[in-house]
Amino acid sequence: MPAVTPSPSSQSDAGKPVTRRTSWAEAAAAADATKPAERVPAPTRAPASAPVPQQAARDTITSTPGTPDADLPPAPSLEPAETPASRRTRPTTADVIADTPMPDFISSPGLFVKEQKPRPVGGVRGVIYSMTRGAWNLGPGPKQRQEEELARRISRQLQGSYNTAVLSLKGGIGKTSTTVGVGLTLAEYRGDAPCAIDANPDSGDLVERALGEGIYQQSSPRTITDLLRNIDSINSLTGLARYMHHAGRLHLIAGEQDPEVSDSLTAEEYLRIRKLISAYYSVALTDCGTGVTHNAMSGILQSADNLVIAAGYAVSGAKRARSTLHWLASHGYEDLARNAVVVITDKDEVSSRVDKDAIEEHLAGICRELISVPHDRGVADGDLVTLDVLKPETRRAYKEIAAAIVDGYR
C-alpha cells in the first residue's frame, strides 16, 4: 500500500513538524488497541549472556530517519518478571536422576537379573527337565533340597580350628568306621581338607580302614610316635605331610601298632599334636579308642569342641553309651555330654526281638542329636570303608553326622 504524505502547504498543519507514518503501523496500532494484552510468562532461568545496557537496547531499535526519540517505544525492563504462582517448574532429566536412589547391584541382583531355579536332579522333576531340555524347570524336589541343605551345613566356613572326639565304652560298635565315613564326607563337601588322628591305645586301625590294609603296608607306615619324636622340627604343612597318610582329601595320622608302646601316648603329648594340627586344619577328628580313662583321654577331652558317642542297637551298647554320657557329666564335662551326638550303628543286624525305637528313645533325651546308621556290609565287614560302595541311606547318615558336628562348632 502506498505511503500517504500530507501536503506541506496545508493550512491546518502549518508550523507543526512533519511525521512520516506507514499504513502497516496504523493497522498494528489499531489491532493492539482492540486486543487484550497477553501475559507472556517469564523464563524460569536467567539467560547465560551478560545483560545489555539500556542505551544499547534502545540503539538496537530501528527507527525511521527523522523520528524523534520521544516517539520510540520504552526500553524493556531488565528486571525478571515474577513467575506466576500457577506455573510450576518442570524438573529436568538431571534433577530426576539425582533424586532417584541408586539401586544396590550387590545385595539386590534380582532387580536386573531374573533368578534361575536350580536344576532338578533325579525323580520326576529331573526327567521332565531332561525331556524338555530345560524348557520346563520345576525346581528341585524336597529330597534334593534337603541334600543341598546338608551340604550347606557341612561346608560352612569356620573361623579357627575345631576338634571332635569319637569315643565309646565298648569296642566293635562302629566307632572307627564312623570316624572314617564322617571324615571322608567332610573331605567331600568342605573346601578345606579335614584331619583324622588315631589316638587309640590298642593298636588302632583307622588308617587301614581308610586306605585298605594292603596300601597301608606298602606305604611308609609312619605313626603318631614318629610324629612326636620329630615334632619340634616341624614348622610347615609340608613338613607335617611326611608323617601323614591321605585317603583322597582326608589326611590321617596313624596310631601306634607296636603293643609295647601303643599305650604310652600321654595327655601332654596329645595336646602337643593337637596344637600342631590346629595351625593347619580347621576340622580334626580324633578316634579315641575304647574307654574314657586311658592316659591320653584327659588331653583329648580338654581340647574337644564336641563329641560323637558310638553305640549299637544291642542292649549292652545302649547302656554303655548312656553310662559314657553320665560319666562325662559327673567329671566336669557336662557341656560336652549335653551337646554330644550319639550315633547308633546297626552293625550286626540285631534280631527282631530288640526294640530299636525304645533304644533310640532311651538315648535321645540325654544328648543334642541322635542319628542311626543302617546296616551296611561296607561298614560291617571291618575292612576298607569307601563312600562309593555304601548304600545311599548310609551315606545320608554320615552326611547328617557331619552336619551335626559342624553345627556344634560355635
Side-chain angles (χ1 to χ4, degrees):
M1 181 180 294
V4 179
T5 305
S7 173
S9 58
S10 175
Q11 296 294 328
S12 61
D13 295 336
K16 294 183 180 181
V18 178
T19 303
R20 174 173 291 183
R21 302 183 63 183
T22 58
S23 60
W24 63 266
E26 294 177 351
D32 291 341
T34 59
K35 183 179 179 180
E38 295 181 357
R39 172 178 287 182
V40 179
T44 59
R45 58 179 65 187
S49 59
V52 180
Q54 181 175 359
Q55 184 60 37
R58 293 176 60 87
D59 293 342
T60 57
I61 302 175
T62 305
S63 60
T64 305
T67 304
D69 291 343
D71 292 341
L72 293 176
S77 175
L78 298 180
E79 297 295 330
E82 182 179 358
T83 304
S86 60
R87 179 181 177 87
R88 294 186 179 180
T89 304
R90 181 178 181 181
T92 63
T93 303
D95 296 334
V96 174
I97 295 176
D99 295 338
T100 303
M102 179 64 68
D104 190 345
F105 292 86
I106 297 177
S107 62
S108 304
L111 296 175
F112 308 96
V113 181
K114 184 178 180 180
E115 183 178 0
Q116 185 177 4
K117 293 182 180 179
R119 176 180 177 179
V121 178
V124 177
R125 296 168 182 256
V127 173
I128 295 176
Y129 183 90
S130 300
M131 292 180 62
T132 61
R133 297 183 179 181
W136 287 5
N137 185 356
L138 303 179
K143 184 178 180 180
Q144 183 179 343
R145 291 197 297 268
Q146 293 174 3
E147 294 291 326
E148 292 175 352
E149 175 62 16
L150 284 175
R152 184 197 63 79
R153 291 165 58 193
I154 297 172
S155 61
R156 178 171 64 90
Q157 187 176 4
L158 301 173
Q159 302 295 330
S161 179
Y162 298 87
N163 179 34
T164 296
V166 185
L167 55 92
S168 69
L169 289 182
K170 182 179 183 298
I173 57 176
K175 174 183 58 58
T176 300
S177 61
T178 298
T179 304
V180 175
V182 172
L184 293 174
T185 303
L186 289 168
E188 180 179 359
Y189 288 95
R190 290 195 59 80
D192 48 354
C195 174
I197 306 169
D198 191 347
N200 193 334
D202 302 319
S203 300
D205 60 349
L206 176 68
V207 177
E208 290 93 324
R209 300 295 300 276
L211 298 179
E213 183 73 26
I215 296 178
Y216 174 67
Q217 294 298 332
Q218 293 174 7
S219 62
S220 57
R222 294 176 181 262
T223 66
I224 195 170
T225 304
D226 300 317
L227 176 60
L228 278 170
R229 188 181 298 119
N230 302 282
I231 194 170
D232 292 332
S233 63
I234 300 173
N235 54 14
S236 66
L237 182 59
T238 303
L240 177 60
R242 297 176 54 195
Y243 301 92
M244 306 192 77
H245 303 269
H246 302 83
R249 297 182 65 250
L250 175 61
H251 299 179
L252 304 109
I253 298 177
E256 182 55 58
Q257 301 299 305
D258 188 349
E260 295 183 1
V261 297
S262 61
D263 196 28
S264 63
L265 181 67
T266 65
E268 292 75 14
E269 289 172 338
Y270 175 82
L271 289 175
R272 293 183 67 191
I273 293 175
R274 174 70 190 111
K275 182 179 180 181
L276 176 64
I277 294 299
S278 65
Y280 304 105
Y281 295 91
S282 61
V283 177
L285 304 176
T286 301
D287 187 357
C288 300
T290 303
V292 291
T293 58
H294 57 81
N295 294 338
M297 201 63 204
S298 61
I300 293 173
L301 294 176
Q302 179 182 338
S303 64
D305 295 285
N306 54 22
L307 300 178
V308 171
I309 309 297
Y313 277 113
V315 176
S316 60
K319 288 183 177 179
R320 285 186 174 92
R322 187 180 182 89
S323 299
T324 302
L325 293 171
H326 280 304
W327 184 92
L328 292 169
S330 61
H331 285 77
Y333 304 105
E334 186 176 355
D335 289 340
L336 287 177
R338 184 186 304 109
N339 295 313
V341 178
V342 174
V343 176
I344 304 180
T345 303
D346 189 4
K347 191 173 181 180
D348 300 321
E349 270 190 306
V350 296
S351 67
S352 58
R353 294 188 300 109
V354 176
D355 190 344
K356 296 182 179 180
D357 294 336
I359 291 177
E360 292 179 1
E361 184 179 354
H362 178 72
L363 295 173
I366 57 176
C367 61
R368 174 166 59 92
E369 193 165 350
L370 186 143
I371 301 170
S372 61
V373 179
H375 179 75
D376 194 322
R377 291 193 59 182
V379 174
D381 289 345
D383 195 7
L384 176 66
V385 176
T386 57
L387 298 180
D388 294 339
V389 301
L390 299 180
K391 296 178 180 178
E393 296 81 4
T394 307
R395 295 194 61 178
R396 171 63 182 266
Y398 285 149
K399 289 172 65 175
E400 291 177 353
I401 299 169
I405 287 174
V406 178
D407 287 345
Y409 295 155
R410 300 298 180 187

